[in-house]
Amino acid sequence: MERGIRREGLEADWKDDRIYDLPEFEQAERFASIAVGTALPFTEHLDDYGASLHGKEQKTIDQRKARIQKFAEDFPKVQDVTRKKVQKWVNDQAAEGRSPKTIQGYVSDVRSYWNYLISIEAVPEESAPFDKLSLPRASSKGRADDRRAPYTPKDAVRVYRAALAEGDALLADLILLGMHTGARIEELCSLKVEHAKDFIDIRDAKTGAGVRQVPIHPAVKDMLERRRKESSDGYVFSGLKANKYGDRSNTMSARFSRLKTDLGFGPSHVFHSFRNTLATMMENAGVLEGIAADTVGHKKQTMTYGLYSGGASLEVKQKALELVQYPWSAEGG
């Protein structure tokens, strides 16, 4: 098929010349499908798919849609999506350095969207371009390398003091509380004054085990009292703006990331690493695993404690938490 016979209406549907890289019979087939309106844009039903995910958090829906839209940059029409081409896309992503977890996430989300297209009869029921793919898998070494690493107690103190030295009192206080609770940054940023009086009542947690009551360590008692009195909006860490998903930690996450990077810490050290630090310090202090799990909000794996126990009391957790003592007398770190 010669380029000279390309019709203006068809040219409007194809934004590039990739069709001419195909064998002539496939070129003819593609032009015919466009002419009769069967070359469906891959994202034609994406908004309807998002609406079908009722029960999911909006943030999760938006993340899925963003991945599907990114995939559609390489597959603008549903007719472009074949198992052979998807496998090549997977291989190319791996060659470009994408992590196995990221690639698997993309494939999972796009497969879910494809199943939706089947359900509304936008693609044939027998089509299966995402089945029997060879996906990269993380090696056991890779999984260990990707794990969040704990700060040493000295390093945790160094990070806290660095925030103070920069005059970022809000971040310093947030770090101090993270060091002594093991709480996630969003759990702390969304903590209300009324839930941080006699103990820290974490209600907005990522998991069921994360909903918990954490004793107030003596090292943070004065800071919490000050934050409660100074609050202007009912939150312990006052003045933070929530994003469209209701998360209040975005700004603080960015400030912390810059701080720890400037101190020489890599991607395995994040705010969440204080959780690892606290768990490590409690283990080294001889705290029983069940008590530590109840304190930091980890699920207990045993039948007796995990299923039947009501959990350690505040008094027991208080005694365990007070065994955690950071080296404040050490200079620098």
Side-chain angles (χ1 to χ4, degrees), residues 111-307:
R111 180 190 286 118
S112 175
Y113 176 58
W114 190 266
N115 289 337
Y116 174 77
L117 295 180
I118 291 176
S119 73
I120 62 172
E121 300 182 354
V123 297
E125 185 175 356
E126 65 273 13
S127 63
F130 300 97
D131 290 353
K132 299 180 181 179
L133 294 174
S134 177
L135 299 178
R137 297 182 179 276
S139 66
S140 57
K141 180 179 182 298
R143 286 195 297 270
D145 291 343
D146 291 340
R147 286 169 50 188
R148 296 184 181 98
Y151 297 101
T152 67
K154 285 186 178 181
D155 278 341
V157 171
R158 184 161 68 96
V159 174
Y160 166 75
R161 285 177 170 162
L164 281 181
E166 289 193 357
D168 195 339
L170 185 64
L171 180 58
D173 288 349
L174 186 65
I175 291 170
L176 187 68
L177 195 56
M179 290 166 60
H180 290 88
T181 62
R184 296 176 175 88
I185 191 168
E186 179 59 31
E187 291 174 347
L188 298 180
C189 289
S190 61
L191 183 64
K192 293 184 177 180
V193 167
E194 62 192 90
H195 299 150
K197 293 182 178 179
D198 298 326
F199 54 86
I200 297 169
D201 192 4
I202 296 179
R203 302 185 176 189
D204 185 12
K206 187 176 180 180
T207 65
V211 177
R212 64 200 185 280
Q213 295 177 343
V214 183
I216 295 176
H217 193 285
V220 301
K221 185 176 182 179
D222 290 344
M223 180 272 290
L224 276 178
E225 185 176 356
R226 169 171 51 81
R227 285 281 167 199
R228 289 197 302 268
K229 290 180 179 178
E230 294 176 354
S231 177
S232 60
D233 56 10
Y235 289 94
V236 171
F237 294 97
S238 185
L240 301 179
K241 300 294 184 182
N243 65 12
K244 64 178 181 178
Y245 306 114
D247 295 336
R248 303 181 76 250
S249 61
N250 287 40
T251 300
M252 300 311 296
S253 291
R255 280 154 65 172
F256 180 81
S257 179
R258 183 199 56 76
L259 176 73
K260 65 96 178 180
T261 300
D262 288 347
L263 291 173
F265 294 101
S268 62
H269 285 89
V270 292
F271 191 93
H272 199 89
S273 295
F274 292 123
R275 191 172 175 83
N276 303 53
T277 301
L278 183 63
T280 302
M281 294 179 73
M282 293 181 83
E283 181 177 14
N284 289 334
V287 175
L288 295 176
E289 185 174 358
I291 298 172
D294 284 340
T295 304
V296 301
H298 283 156
K299 183 178 180 180
K300 290 181 285 192
Q301 301 300 320
T302 64
M303 178 70 75
T304 303
Y305 286 172
L307 184 61

Side-chain angles (χ1 to χ4, degrees), residues 68-85:
I68 293 166
Q69 287 173 329
K70 185 69 176 177
F71 180 85
E73 292 177 7
D74 295 315
F75 296 87
K77 306 286 183 180
V78 294
Q79 285 75 11
D80 296 323
V81 184
T82 65
R83 184 182 291 124
K84 181 177 180 180
K85 290 178 181 177

